[in-house]
Amino acid sequence: MKSFFETVRLERVHELARQLATLEAENVPLEMALGRTLAGDLRADQDLPGFDRSSMDGYAVQSRDSFGVSESSPGYLRLVGDVVMGRAPGFVIDRGECARIFTGGMLPAGADAVIQVEHTRQTDERTVEVVKAVAPGTSVMGACDDARAGQVLLTAGHRLRPQDVGLLASLGVHDPVLVRRPKVGIISTGDEVVPVDRALAPGQVRDVNAFTLAAQVREAGAEPVVLGLVGDDAPALVQATAISLDRCDLTLLSGGSSVGLRDMTRDAFLSFEGSKLLVHGVSVSPGKPFIWVQNGRHPLCGLPGQVASCMVAFHLFAEPMLERMLGREPRSFARFARVSARLGRNVSAPPGREVYLRVALVETGQGLSAEPLLGKSGLLRTFTQGHGIVRIPLGVEGLLQGADVTVMVFP
């Protein structure tokens, strides 16, 4: 068994996360697919849009009939018909001919371009004056411009965005095969923690972690299952963990993960048959007192009780586990955009840990400045007033004002 509170590096946590299994796939109605994860590659079974179509209102033409025309030297084409929306044209465009067409209409055979209506004038019932030349393909969407039959359009593990849902709809996929959302049991602990609707007595704090963790779980593409508040009571903690093991894929327990007489998380997790301690302590700040006990396919995780530490620990440790369960490479801060900035002031870092510093982004005349938001790990304001996080690597004693940094921006 791993010795108690022997810290490991964050990379070790990610190595262990790679060993987790991807959850099973399920069919999901397309209207519920946003934010969900593809279980396999999406391959086009047809060309899209499937036919050459106009991207403008105007006239379908053979482009060579427009070569050399201008405002001062217009050309004239014979109008042979109108393209009816949603139907294939029943005529062909020959030399010197054109057809009226609207955006989205199918290009008639023989035509290879569309002249915008603004560059034409109908002089009589059968004649169209053209004042601008067009090249082949002008204002035309090709039959394979969006997709070619057999082409891989999205890969397994891709999280669906609104435009991806539209792509599925265009292919006629009404119930895509997606990875099941992980269910995450959330347990809060501590005799000093009370429900959010209760007035505070001296020494008490409200259960903030249950709500912040549930929100983080949803943002990560999983389904939170809030299992309530447990005091510093070993049997109650074991009972809550048992419920999570039965109902969920991952358990997050906040509080009771550091060294101390009242800390029962480790023993509670290890009380279940088949449990194995993988991690207890990671060389990061905040988030050092992290516990990971594996029970079968189910990770049991103890996060710090202080809210800022708990939130950072989720992104560092739990989010990579969820990424792997959803079929992606385990990665901390997976959904955070990255921007470059200059550090607004000197900051120090404790020896033996990599530091995750909360910062506010300020626009200056020289670009973005990352202003450190310093405060104890129990303060939520470093998140509510901040815009992102800067990593100070292990072995670096600090960063100087003006240093180039990468800011991981809160979603």
Side-chain angles (χ1 to χ4, degrees):
M1 180 184 294
K2 187 176 180 61
S3 62
F4 185 59
F5 217 64
E6 177 188 333
T7 61
V8 299
R9 297 189 62 170
L10 178 60
E11 291 79 7
R12 177 55 180 162
V13 178
H14 290 178
E15 288 175 9
L16 292 168
R18 289 187 184 94
Q19 300 174 21
L20 297 174
T22 300
L23 298 183
E24 67 273 14
E26 61 183 3
N27 289 95
V28 176
L30 187 57
E31 60 269 22
M32 303 296 292
L34 180 64
R36 299 290 297 270
T37 302
L38 283 176
D41 293 346
L42 175 65
R43 191 180 298 272
D45 63 355
Q46 59 194 275
D47 295 338
L48 285 180
F51 58 91
D52 293 339
R53 60 193 302 199
S54 177
S55 61
M56 294 287 179
D57 293 346
Y59 293 89
V61 301
Q62 291 191 12
S63 57
R64 57 184 173 171
D65 286 336
S66 72
F67 295 166
V69 306
S70 65
E71 292 278 357
S72 60
S73 180
Y76 295 90
L77 300 174
R78 185 164 66 91
L79 182 62
V80 296
D82 292 353
V83 173
V84 179
M85 296 297 292
R87 291 169 58 182
F91 51 83
V92 176
I93 300 298
D94 290 323
R95 289 297 307 272
E97 296 179 341
C98 67
R100 185 179 290 108
I101 193 169
F102 299 99
T103 302
M106 183 175 180
L107 210 67
D112 66 352
V114 173
I115 299 177
Q116 293 182 39
V117 68
E118 296 93 325
H119 303 134
T120 65
R121 182 172 68 90
Q122 188 167 348
T123 59
D124 60 38
E125 201 172 276
R126 288 295 175 187
T127 306
V128 175
E129 182 182 75
V130 177
V131 298
K132 184 175 182 179
V134 293
T138 298
S139 300
V140 173
M141 290 183 283
C144 304
D145 278 1
D146 255 342
R148 188 177 298 275
Q151 179 184 358
V152 175
L153 304 176
L154 299 171
T155 56
H158 180 79
R159 188 172 184 177
L160 295 175
R161 304 163 297 173
Q163 58 267 43
D164 303 322
V165 174
L167 178 61
L168 288 164
S170 71
L171 290 166
V173 180
H174 56 85
D175 57 348
V177 181
L178 308 178
V179 180
R180 177 174 65 78
R181 284 186 189 272
K183 292 185 177 181
V184 181
I186 297 173
I187 305 168
S188 300
T189 66
D191 287 341
E192 76 282 11
V193 184
V194 298
V196 297
D197 58 354
R198 183 178 300 179
L200 294 179
Q204 293 182 334
V205 295
R206 294 190 176 93
D207 183 12
V208 175
N209 288 348
F211 292 88
T212 54
L213 281 175
Q216 288 179 299
V217 166
R218 289 190 187 94
E219 279 195 337
E223 179 183 336
V225 180
V226 179
L227 297 172
L229 179 60
V230 178
D232 295 319
D233 178 87
L237 184 56
V238 170
Q239 183 179 12
T241 304
I243 294 172
S244 186
L245 276 169
D246 182 59
R247 295 173 53 187
C248 302
D249 305 291
L250 167 68
T251 296
L252 300 179
L253 185 150
S254 64
S257 56
S258 60
V259 180
L261 294 177
R262 297 191 311 159
D263 299 328
M264 298 170 281
T265 303
R266 173 180 176 270
D267 291 341
F269 287 172
L270 290 173
S271 68
F272 295 93
E273 184 178 356
S275 288
K276 179 181 179 181
L277 179 65
L278 299 183
V279 176
H280 191 185
V282 185
S283 53
V284 298
S285 177
K288 178 182 178 182
F290 167 70
I291 295 174
W292 179 356
V293 170
Q294 189 70 17
N295 183 278
R297 294 181 56 173
H298 190 124
L300 299 168
C301 298
L303 306 180
Q306 300 281 32
V307 60
S309 293
C310 183
M311 293 186 71
V312 172
F314 174 86
H315 289 301
L316 289 175
F317 313 128
E319 190 168 19
M321 296 180 192
L322 292 174
E323 287 288 291
R324 183 67 195 96
M325 289 179 179
L326 289 166
R328 294 188 280 267
E329 177 68 12
R331 190 161 70 102
S332 296
F333 304 100
R335 293 161 297 101
F336 284 44
R338 270 70 170 171
V339 301
S340 297
R342 292 184 181 274
L343 197 63
R345 56 165 288 184
N346 297 341
V347 292
S348 60
R353 302 192 207 178
E354 58 183 80
V355 174
Y356 290 85
L357 178 72
R358 279 81 71 204
V359 299
L361 289 171
V362 179
E363 185 67 56
T364 70
Q366 291 73 45
L368 283 177
S369 175
E371 301 293 333
L373 297 171
L374 304 179
K376 300 297 184 181
S377 58
L379 297 175
L380 193 55
R381 67 169 178 83
T382 57
F383 273 88
T384 59
Q385 297 176 7
H387 300 108
I389 289 178
V390 169
R391 174 180 175 265
I392 303 177
L394 188 70
V396 175
E397 295 182 357
L399 297 175
L400 296 177
Q401 181 179 1
D404 292 325
V405 294
T406 297
V407 181
M408 296 175 284
V409 182
F410 298 146

